[in-house]
Amino acid sequence: MKKLLEVNNLTVEIHTDHGTVYACRGVSFDLNEDETLCIVGESGSGKSITVKGIMRLLPKTAKIVEGSVMFEGRDLTKVPEKEMLSLRGSDISMIFQDPMTSLNPTMTVGDQIMEVLKEHKKEMSKQQRKARTLELIELVGINNPETRFRQYPHQLSGGMRQRIVIAMALACDPKILIADEPTTALDVTIQAQILDLMREIQKKSHTAIILITHNLGVVANMADRVGVMYGGKLVETANVRELFFHMEHPYTKGLLASIPKKGVKEELRSIPGSPPDLMAPPKGCPFAARCEYTMKVCQQYLPELTEIAPDHRCACWLLDERAAKMRQEVR
């Protein structure tokens, strides 16, 4: 399978009045053609800042200090901003969490989709842009495209606004679609419709998807591969079946244990403690302070991602051969 994107040791820092936030620390992964990669983790784990680093859409106080993002032979961390402007929306598109903040309230949704085409498809006439816009509105499952074309964002429901944002992202047939928690503000029924829509679009267009979420139900339904983030680092990566049935990292196990089980009456489980302060990240494993299996080495040294099966890597000292006895107790 052809690799579309290779992220190597991506490190992003955010400078504030109170100090530096080490938001993304040496993150590495790749994305294959026609694949859905889900990046999962609790709030503050570094998911969104990682994908914004890929897109170079970081806040002014943030910067990439190390690493590379390879796309079609180019390192996106080093290409001129003018080149990034041409890539964003055409080859790589992004759907943000809140559609209301992604849309201009003073423009009709039709004009906003046409604006994307005008920027990236300069060879298209106005009539062609309108025809393509109506086609996109219909593609994302909105009825009466002619009527919707002339409406403003406030005249649409939350689900429709998210569909319009998806239409804008798909306008130029991107090779990669990054969706940052695209269903967070929607009710459960609309969430399912949006996820079904993304699956259908992927089948038709063969777009590769990076989906950011904290919902493991979404991961189970959408992912081909999964990356688990904690404390600004990837702590486990695997294909979706391997992750759910053979997870290794204590944090991943904690996330999965917190899911309510159908037909089982029991108190909901949570992971004790709080995420680490990324202004002063721990010297060792970021999860050490919350892990019931922590050892001295966990607090002193950072574990590397270790391959434990084909396409399954985990950063945990329990996997070291010297921790065999401890590993047996965990199992």
Side-chain angles (χ1 to χ4, degrees), residues 1 81 135-136 202 222 230 235 280 288 295 304 307 323 328:
M1 198 178 285
E81 179 58 23
E135 181 188 321
L136 285 161
Q202 187 178 44
M222 290 290 294
Y230 185 80
V235 296
M295 302 175 284
E304 296 294 325
E307 187 166 0
Q328 294 213 346

Side-chain angles (χ1 to χ4, degrees), residues 7 9 25-29 226-229 233-238 249 302-308 312-317 319:
V7 179
N9 198 37
R25 305 188 290 145
V27 171
S28 299
F29 63 86
V226 187
V228 181
M229 281 197 79
K233 295 191 71 68
L234 267 178
V235 296
E236 188 162 10
T237 64
H249 200 282
L302 192 65
E304 296 294 325
L305 277 170
T306 304
E307 187 166 0
I308 52 179
H312 187 177
R313 297 189 301 161
C314 180
C316 181
W317 284 114
L319 298 172

Side-chain angles (χ1 to χ4, degrees), residues 90-154:
S90 56
D91 289 325
I92 308 175
S93 286
M94 189 163 178
I95 303 167
F96 296 93
Q97 287 186 38
D98 184 0
M100 205 59 188
T101 59
S102 303
L103 295 169
N104 187 333
T106 66
M107 292 175 66
T108 65
V109 295
D111 283 342
Q112 291 186 63
I113 299 172
M114 285 180 67
E115 192 174 51
V116 177
L117 294 167
K118 187 176 180 180
E119 177 65 31
H120 296 288
K121 299 284 184 183
K122 299 189 187 296
E123 71 280 4
M124 285 180 123
S125 66
K126 189 174 181 180
Q127 290 75 19
Q128 287 174 322
R129 289 198 296 271
K130 182 173 182 182
R132 173 61 175 158
T133 298
L134 293 172
E135 181 188 321
L136 285 161
I137 293 172
E138 194 167 4
L139 175 69
V140 296
I142 296 178
N143 296 325
N144 304 318
E146 281 278 4
T147 302
R148 302 303 181 190
F149 180 93
R150 297 188 295 274
Q151 290 183 323
Y152 290 86
H154 73 272

Side-chain angles (χ1 to χ4, degrees), residues 288-305:
R290 301 174 75 184
C291 181
E292 59 184 307
Y293 311 113
T294 189
M295 302 175 284
K296 285 184 180 179
V297 67
C298 304
Q299 298 168 25
Q300 295 297 319
Y301 300 97
L302 192 65
E304 296 294 325
L305 277 170

